Amino acid sequence: MAQLFRHRQHAPRMGTRGQPEESRAAILQAAAKEFAELGIAGARTDAIAREARVNKALLYYYFKDKETLYGAVLDDAFSGMKSRVFRALDSDSPPREKILAYVGAYFDFIASNQIYPKLMQREMMRAREGRSEHIDRLVKTYFQPIYRRVGELLHKGIAEGEFRNVDPAHFVPSMVAMIVFYFSSAPVMQRIVHFNPLTPQRIAERRAAVLDFISAALFQPHAGTGAAVHKSGVRK
């Protein structure tokens, strides 16, 4: 631990205006952690600059104030999510395969970016209290396009007899909640189930369980076959 601390202490500062992409990415990564843990009110730009190994003046060179930085963190998070799930939604796969690919892509993104559920929760709370400067942009740029595409996919699957007649206004947030809540509630769940729900094995088990649950809730059984469970753990 002491050796790691000394290495970090003497690590070269990367914050120069000649490294704009690297410096900006480092600031966003450090800021995401700070905002997720403390919220925008509790976050400190000097702590973010220190974690990103840039000087504070450079932080303000890229982002004029803390609110602007916070908005950039949200855009960085949700643009990554949108890009990941749209790759699944843009495929030519049949509705069953496409909806599971979407859910799997969303799950994998959250699993590999576990601070994002905290960011989402904090921003939803700000929006509910009328204190968010960003929620309208986030809804228009990220949430609505994803919801629209998933809703269209659900209606297509219903029309083709592949899906039950579900209401996207309820089914889409239910799918999202199954994923996000697992990661946001992990500290409590660990006390309930007496194991770490965030080990790679447990995350893989959760992924399979989510896909199985959604397919059981959504898929119409094929004539004469029932809702058999495929060897992958996903109902066909």
Side-chain angles (χ1 to χ4, degrees):
M1 178 64 72
Q3 183 179 6
L4 177 62
F5 180 75
R6 286 196 301 271
H7 172 74
R8 183 173 181 79
Q9 213 174 24
H10 297 291
R13 296 178 70 85
M14 65 180 299
T16 71
R17 296 185 185 184
Q19 299 174 311
E21 292 184 6
E22 293 86 348
S23 298
R24 191 176 189 279
I27 293 169
L28 287 174
Q29 184 177 19
K33 294 178 183 177
E34 183 82 356
F35 289 133
E37 292 300 323
L38 301 173
I40 187 170
R44 295 290 177 263
T45 53
D46 54 351
I48 294 170
R50 185 167 57 251
E51 175 68 18
R53 301 204 305 275
V54 303
N55 60 59
K56 197 171 178 180
L58 188 68
L59 185 151
Y60 284 117
Y61 173 75
Y62 291 117
F63 307 98
K64 67 178 183 178
D65 53 33
K66 188 165 65 168
E67 189 72 47
T68 301
L69 174 57
Y70 177 69
V73 166
L74 294 175
D75 281 318
D76 187 60
F78 292 118
S79 64
M81 178 186 72
K82 180 181 176 182
S83 175
R84 180 78 68 91
V85 301
F86 261 50
R87 284 198 292 270
L89 294 170
D90 285 340
S91 74
D92 295 326
S93 303
R96 292 188 182 213
E97 293 180 20
K98 188 179 291 190
I99 196 71
L100 293 181
Y102 157 74
V103 174
Y106 191 98
F107 186 98
D108 293 342
F109 178 81
I110 297 298
S112 60
N113 299 276
Q114 292 180 24
I115 63 171
Y116 289 168
K118 290 184 179 180
L119 284 172
M120 292 179 193
Q121 288 177 329
R122 290 188 180 278
E123 184 58 17
M124 295 306 108
M125 290 175 64
R126 288 187 90 207
R128 185 179 61 189
E129 296 165 359
R131 295 187 293 111
S132 173
E133 298 181 12
H134 311 285
I135 193 64
D136 289 340
R137 183 185 76 259
L138 296 175
V139 167
K140 182 178 180 180
T141 307
Y142 307 113
F143 303 155
Q144 279 184 337
I146 294 173
Y147 175 83
R148 190 179 302 116
R149 291 290 299 277
V150 177
E152 290 170 355
L153 175 58
L154 289 174
H155 285 305
K156 184 175 188 294
I158 292 167
E160 294 178 0
E162 294 293 326
F163 296 164
R164 293 175 52 246
N165 188 19
V166 298
D167 184 347
H170 295 294
F171 202 82
V172 174
S174 294
M175 289 192 293
V176 171
M178 286 187 66
I179 298 169
V180 173
F181 182 76
Y182 181 80
F183 291 97
S184 62
S185 67
V188 174
M189 284 302 301
Q190 184 164 356
R191 288 167 171 77
I192 295 172
V193 298
H194 304 297
F195 60 74
N196 182 1
L198 298 180
T199 65
Q201 178 184 349
R202 297 297 183 182
I203 290 175
E205 290 172 356
R206 177 62 182 182
R207 188 184 194 276
V210 168
L211 293 176
D212 181 62
F213 191 96
I214 289 173
S215 59
L218 182 62
F219 294 176
Q220 291 279 24
H222 287 140
T225 63
V229 179
H230 189 264
K231 64 181 179 181
S232 65
V234 177
R235 294 173 184 265
K236 295 292 186 179

